[in-house]
Amino acid sequence: MTGYGYFLSCEEHTPKALVAQARMAEQAGFTSLWISDHFHPWTGEQGQSPLVWSVIGAVSQAVSLPVQTAVTCPTMRLNPVVTAQAAATSAVLLEGRFRLGVGSGEALNEHVLGDRWPQAAVRLEMLEEAVQVMRLLFEGGQVSHHGKHYTVENARLYTLPDAPVPIDVSAFGPAATELAARIGDGLVTMAPDADAVERFRRGGGGQKPVLGGVKVCWGPDREEALELAHRLWAVEQLPGELNQVLPTPAHFEQAASLVPRERVAASVTCGNDVDAHVGALRAYAEAGFDRVHVQQIGPDQRGFFDFYRTEVLPQLVQ
């Protein structure tokens, strides 16, 4: 049976607002939390980007829900050794209710230290080695590693949860899906793609969890909700590798200006049609997902949570 969680957007909201949303999500009946990990928002209009690890610490003291990063890039801006320490501490605070979602990253966040932005195949190679390093550290002993991309000397994590932190791998194409199947404890992806789920399971993922995310924009006026979704998240409709290679929010704003409202309307459920919201989430269940996390676009979080608590979730968790 598919579970339903809430997706906290660090691109749109302040740290205190995210903690308040976590509380509202638990009260509304959502059973887990995703939280994004960025250095920059995608666009200046989104307007925020707090350090995710500080927010996770605050959320851990506010709710009893499981939490997962969706997703952290542990290869450039964050070294895998530092990522492992942050994840282990988060798991201790959450008493084991933490999963680390990882991905190969975007230039938007990872180029800020001035490093060269590698090609996709190299980024996946780096991610695989980073996961290897983190798993060694989660075992609790002293780790020294001399690999192609990372060197670790005499590193040990002294604050560890009772069990190693699960690492789920994000994938948006066949090569990344195959990597997730080979090295991940689960798959993270955004589209209700049954073929990708099957590729993951056949490639070695077996019965490991498949976790998804979807954006909606609830509101009493569908046209106003669509306008908000287009203004804040047209970037999600950019084709090809643009989301991975554009370096600044200004570049994303330029590219997003070319995305028509109709494309957002076809991809994002907007307004207050109960059947449309239920259908958007059921698509993930029908594609074989174990859990889907819903992100409400915009500031009207209270209205969204009331709507989902009374109208949507009761139809999905019968």
Side-chain angles (χ1 to χ4, degrees):
M1 181 177 177
T2 303
Y4 298 93
Y6 188 68
F7 194 166
L8 299 167
S9 173
C10 286
E11 300 91 340
E12 286 189 56
H13 303 287
T14 66
K16 287 186 177 180
L18 292 166
V19 174
Q21 289 166 27
R23 291 194 183 99
M24 288 189 284
E26 186 168 40
Q27 293 163 2
F30 289 100
T31 56
S32 60
L33 296 170
W34 265 10
I35 185 166
S36 54
D37 179 4
H38 274 225
F39 186 83
H40 291 135
W42 295 99
T43 67
E45 184 75 22
Q46 291 175 352
Q48 294 290 329
S49 200
L51 179 67
V52 71
W53 304 108
S54 299
V55 180
I56 289 171
V59 167
S60 74
Q61 304 305 295
V63 300
S64 61
L65 300 180
V67 178
Q68 178 168 31
T69 53
V71 291
T72 292
C73 178
T75 61
M76 298 184 69
R77 171 177 53 100
L78 291 176
N79 184 279
V81 173
V82 176
T83 306
Q85 185 183 28
T89 299
S90 297
V92 170
L93 284 167
L94 285 155
E95 299 179 329
R97 303 186 312 276
F98 178 75
R99 299 181 75 93
L100 177 63
V102 299
S104 60
E106 305 91 15
L108 174 70
N109 304 299
E110 306 309 319
H111 86 291
V112 294
L113 301 182
D115 296 313
R116 182 181 66 86
W117 183 238
Q119 293 183 342
V122 176
R123 300 200 304 270
L124 290 177
E125 186 179 83
M126 294 171 70
L127 180 61
E128 183 168 5
E129 186 177 339
V131 169
Q132 178 187 356
V133 168
M134 292 188 292
R135 291 200 192 282
L136 289 171
L137 288 163
F138 290 152
E139 291 177 2
Q142 182 171 281
V143 173
S144 291
H145 169 89
H146 300 276
K148 182 175 180 179
H149 299 288
Y150 302 105
T151 297
V152 182
E153 293 188 355
N154 308 326
R156 179 182 174 186
L157 298 181
Y158 280 84
T159 299
L160 284 166
D162 293 336
V165 178
I167 302 175
D168 300 325
V169 178
S170 174
F172 294 96
T177 302
E178 291 167 7
L179 178 65
R182 188 169 72 253
I183 71 170
D185 293 309
L187 171 68
V188 171
T189 191
M190 297 298 287
D193 185 343
D195 291 339
V197 174
E198 180 62 23
R199 185 180 297 113
F200 171 75
R201 300 215 182 280
R202 285 200 320 266
Q207 297 306 305
K208 295 175 182 177
V210 175
L211 311 165
V214 60
K215 290 177 175 61
V216 304
C217 191
W218 174 86
D221 185 304
R222 183 181 180 278
E223 287 304 309
E224 289 183 5
L226 175 57
E227 174 62 30
L228 183 61
H230 183 260
R231 179 161 56 86
L232 291 179
W233 285 99
V235 291
E236 285 230 323
Q237 308 307 318
L238 296 178
E241 291 188 72
L242 286 178
N243 279 332
Q244 282 72 54
V245 301
L246 294 179
T248 70
H251 289 102
F252 277 96
E253 290 162 11
Q254 293 164 13
S257 69
L258 302 176
V259 176
R261 279 168 51 98
E262 293 74 18
R263 186 162 183 176
V264 174
S267 302
V268 180
T269 300
C270 296
N272 61 355
D273 185 318
V274 175
D275 291 340
H277 284 265
V278 169
L281 272 62
R282 278 188 174 151
Y284 287 81
E286 292 167 358
F289 281 67
D290 297 284
R291 183 164 294 275
V292 58
H293 295 81
V294 188
Q295 176 186 325
Q296 161 69 356
I297 295 171
D300 193 353
Q301 298 290 315
R302 173 59 70 186
F304 163 84
F305 284 118
D306 287 345
F307 176 70
Y308 265 65
R309 175 179 56 81
T310 59
E311 303 290 343
V312 178
L313 292 180
Q315 295 196 46
L316 294 167
V317 297
Q318 294 173 351

